[in-house]
């Protein structure tokens, strides 16, 4: 990206699951600031209906929240139909509770409380990467 030539988002090469055989909670991406050397792993979660914006909750299946804490990762929650996104930074304490999501066949997991999260608008400009999202990832990586 010409606006941020020192920023890099790559696929996490350690993530080698076969999606048909087993699921994994390892973050799929690694964000790196090549100027500072700061990195953060993150996973992309898509909320097609924008339900998380209405309820201020997002469901992380199984033990994703534990694994994200282990990898010092963040989750990028993107609501494409609402053109909004937010991050959940698992390097700190995340408010929420364990429970079941009936809409996903009664699966157990973690309901993250998003009441303190702001959903930011994504501006689709001339670049493929979204400047505001990258700026927020960069701020998270420096913490």
């Amino acid at each position: 990206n010409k606006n941020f030539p020192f920023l890099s988002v790559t696929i996490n090469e350690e993530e080698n699951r076969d999606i048909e055989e087993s699921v994994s909670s390892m973050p799929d991406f690694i964000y790196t600031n090549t100027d500072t050397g700061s990195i953060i792993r993150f996973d992309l979660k898509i909320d097609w209906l924008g339900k998380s914006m209405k309820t201020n909750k997002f469901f992380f299946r199984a033990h994703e929240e534990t694994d994200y804490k282990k990898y010092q990762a963040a989750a990028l929650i993107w609501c494409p139909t609402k053109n909004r996104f937010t991050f959940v930074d698992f390097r700190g304490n995340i408010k929420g509770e364990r429970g079941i999501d009936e809409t996903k066949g009664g699966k157990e997991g973690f309901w993250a409380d998003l009441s303190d999260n702001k959903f930011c608008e994504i501006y689709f400009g001339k670049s493929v990467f979204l400047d505001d999202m990258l700026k927020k990832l960069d701020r998270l990586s420096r913490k």
Side-chain angles (χ1 to χ4, degrees):
N1 183 314
K2 67 181 179 182
N3 294 331
F4 303 101
F6 53 90
L7 305 182
S8 168
V9 176
T10 57
I11 294 175
N12 184 356
E13 297 298 334
E14 296 173 26
E15 171 61 290
N16 58 5
R17 71 173 182 241
D18 179 344
I19 198 158
E20 291 180 5
E21 289 186 21
S22 65
V23 296
S24 168
S25 297
M26 184 177 285
D28 291 332
F29 302 99
I30 300 174
Y31 162 83
T32 307
N33 180 319
T34 56
D35 280 350
T36 64
S38 58
I39 67 164
I40 186 169
R41 296 171 188 273
F42 71 98
D43 218 1
L44 173 63
K45 298 295 185 184
I46 300 176
D47 178 0
W48 289 102
L49 301 176
K51 184 177 173 184
S52 58
M53 291 175 58
K54 294 175 193 162
T55 64
N56 284 324
K57 291 183 178 183
F58 188 84
F59 184 74
F60 292 93
R61 61 180 164 68
H63 293 282
E64 280 181 319
E65 89 281 3
T66 305
D67 290 339
Y68 290 167
K69 284 181 183 196
K70 174 181 154 187
Y71 293 112
Q72 294 289 289
L76 165 60
I77 300 172
W78 178 34
C79 303
T81 57
K82 305 292 183 190
N83 199 34
R84 304 262 176 188
F85 75 95
T86 192
F87 283 98
V88 179
D89 188 353
F90 284 90
R91 295 173 299 170
N93 289 328
I94 304 297
K95 292 190 293 185
E97 61 188 7
R98 296 218 42 92
I100 293 174
D101 186 351
E102 295 297 338
T103 66
K104 293 189 175 18
K107 293 191 178 187
E108 291 185 34
F110 180 75
W111 286 98
D113 181 344
L114 303 179
S115 58
D116 293 336
N117 287 51
K118 178 183 176 192
F119 281 85
C120 301
E121 189 169 355
I122 295 177
Y123 295 99
F124 292 99
K126 297 177 183 176
S127 64
V128 173
F129 286 103
L130 309 167
D131 295 350
D132 199 29
M133 184 191 77
L134 285 173
K135 286 178 193 173
K136 289 185 186 306
L137 261 177
D138 191 44
R139 275 188 236 124
L140 283 175
S141 74
R142 293 171 190 254
K143 285 185 179 177

